[in-house]
Amino acid sequence: MSWLNQHRLAFLLALSRLAGAPVNTLLSLLAIGIALALPAGGQMLLANALQAGRHLAPAPQISVFAEVGADQRAVQTIGERLRNTVGVQEVRFVSRDEALARMKANPGLADVIDALPKNPFPDAYTVLPTDERPAAMEQLAAQFRKLPRVEHVQLDADWVRRLDALLRLGRTGVLLLAVLLGLGLVTITFNVIRSQALAHRAEIEVGQLLGATDAFIRRPFLYFGALLGLAGGATAWLIVAAATLWLRGPIGEFANLYGFSFQLLPLSLADSAALLSAAAGLGWFGAGMSLGQYLRQGR
């Protein structure tokens, strides 16, 4: 209980110090919030780009063609094997007669198809995978090629590879931006805590004379840094939320011009929690670095 009471008092002391300098606190929050809003906004746009890409592009699928001479039982066996494969979401059968009718519906191919002596198309299956990553789809296609009486397997995932490459590029850019601006948050917290330590130098020295440990002296400053970082993260979240609301209308109108409905979504719950946690953690880390250096220099 004594340990918990010490942490409670340190937390309340940090709150009072934040409230005691409203102008400095506000300026620090704006600096941290604007810095963190850039990677947070990048993550929000990346998530929305992924949503839009999945909405606009067709679902990736794998086409499995049976041998032209395969009988009905062999074709049904292929379908059963496909449905029992791990990683398959849906299997749809496309008969050779259905494929022939589709080709005849094309005006440019109708005369050519009518000139053929018999139906040249095989029975086929269209497979929708549960995992749309290129590597996972390649692995599924390799399994399908080993099935008996399967003539050809076509993997329709070129756009998935392009989208995956763009997303990896986007994630790398957001991560790099987050690291650089996270270092900026640590620097801001380091300097703020340094000024706090100098302002309370007499209080620290009296505590040391009375036998206070470094951990006891650090505690309110660590809470100060964590609260400053958390409040800065909340400021960044509010900036991104305001930008989302501001852009939602124009982006929706632009999407309607191209015939599809799209709504810009805010940061997800997981991304919001990660933003606030990272901001508080970086604030705590910067405060620990700053006060640790101050106490070492004081000795």
Side-chain angles (χ1 to χ4, degrees):
M1 292 298 295
S2 176
W3 181 82
L4 290 175
N5 188 53
Q6 290 178 11
H7 277 271
R8 182 181 66 84
L9 293 175
F11 180 80
L12 293 176
L13 180 58
L15 277 178
S16 67
R17 288 176 179 175
L18 279 171
V23 176
N24 291 337
T25 300
L26 180 61
L27 292 176
S28 299
L29 291 182
L30 287 176
I32 294 172
I34 293 172
L36 292 181
L38 293 176
Q43 176 61 29
M44 181 270 292
L45 293 175
L46 196 63
N48 279 277
L50 177 60
Q51 176 200 9
R54 289 176 175 172
H55 179 78
L56 292 174
Q61 61 187 24
I62 303 173
S63 300
V64 181
F65 299 93
E67 295 177 353
V68 177
D71 55 25
Q72 197 65 28
R73 183 170 182 177
V75 173
Q76 291 177 355
T77 302
I78 293 173
E80 293 173 359
R81 296 282 296 272
L82 294 175
R83 293 184 181 91
N84 294 329
T85 302
V86 177
V88 172
Q89 176 183 356
E90 181 183 345
V91 177
R92 191 173 69 85
F93 176 63
V94 181
S95 67
R96 51 192 312 221
D97 294 333
E98 182 181 348
L100 181 65
R102 287 182 181 180
M103 292 298 104
K104 284 186 176 181
N106 189 327
L109 296 176
D111 294 338
V112 177
I113 297 297
D114 290 335
L116 296 175
K118 61 179 182 179
N119 187 350
F121 300 104
D123 292 316
Y125 289 93
T126 299
V127 179
L128 295 180
T130 55
D131 190 347
E132 297 180 356
R133 292 177 301 176
M137 294 184 65
E138 290 283 1
Q139 186 177 2
L140 267 183
Q143 294 182 38
F144 297 158
R145 291 187 182 99
K146 298 177 182 178
L147 296 178
R149 309 306 300 272
V150 170
E151 180 70 25
H152 178 64
V153 175
Q154 179 179 337
L155 178 60
D156 183 20
D158 287 341
W159 76 268
V160 177
R161 297 187 186 93
R162 297 188 188 102
L163 182 61
D164 184 68
L166 286 174
L167 288 176
R168 281 190 280 110
L169 179 62
R171 290 191 189 102
T172 302
V174 170
L175 180 60
L176 179 61
L177 192 62
V179 170
L180 293 175
L181 295 175
L183 292 175
L185 189 155
V186 172
T187 303
I188 293 171
T189 308
F190 185 96
N191 292 327
V192 171
I193 296 299
R194 183 73 175 179
S195 64
Q196 283 285 316
L198 292 174
H200 298 86
R201 176 186 298 174
E203 180 183 331
I204 293 173
E205 291 176 352
V206 171
Q208 289 174 330
L209 290 173
L210 294 175
T213 63
D214 286 352
F216 182 86
I217 295 172
R218 277 196 190 99
R219 195 171 292 134
F221 292 96
L222 292 175
Y223 275 116
F224 185 97
L227 288 172
L228 186 66
L230 181 63
T235 304
W237 188 91
L238 290 174
I239 292 173
V240 174
T244 303
L245 292 175
W246 183 49
L247 293 172
R248 181 173 291 174
I251 289 178
E253 293 176 4
F254 179 79
N256 289 332
L257 293 176
Y258 286 88
F260 70 95
S261 176
F262 178 76
Q263 185 178 21
L264 193 66
L265 298 178
L267 281 173
S268 66
L269 183 61
D271 290 337
S272 300
L275 170 64
L276 296 177
S277 301
L282 289 172
W284 182 285
F285 178 71
M289 285 181 56
S290 179
L291 200 64
Q293 185 189 58
Y294 176 83
L295 292 175
R296 286 191 299 271
Q297 290 176 349
R299 293 190 178 91

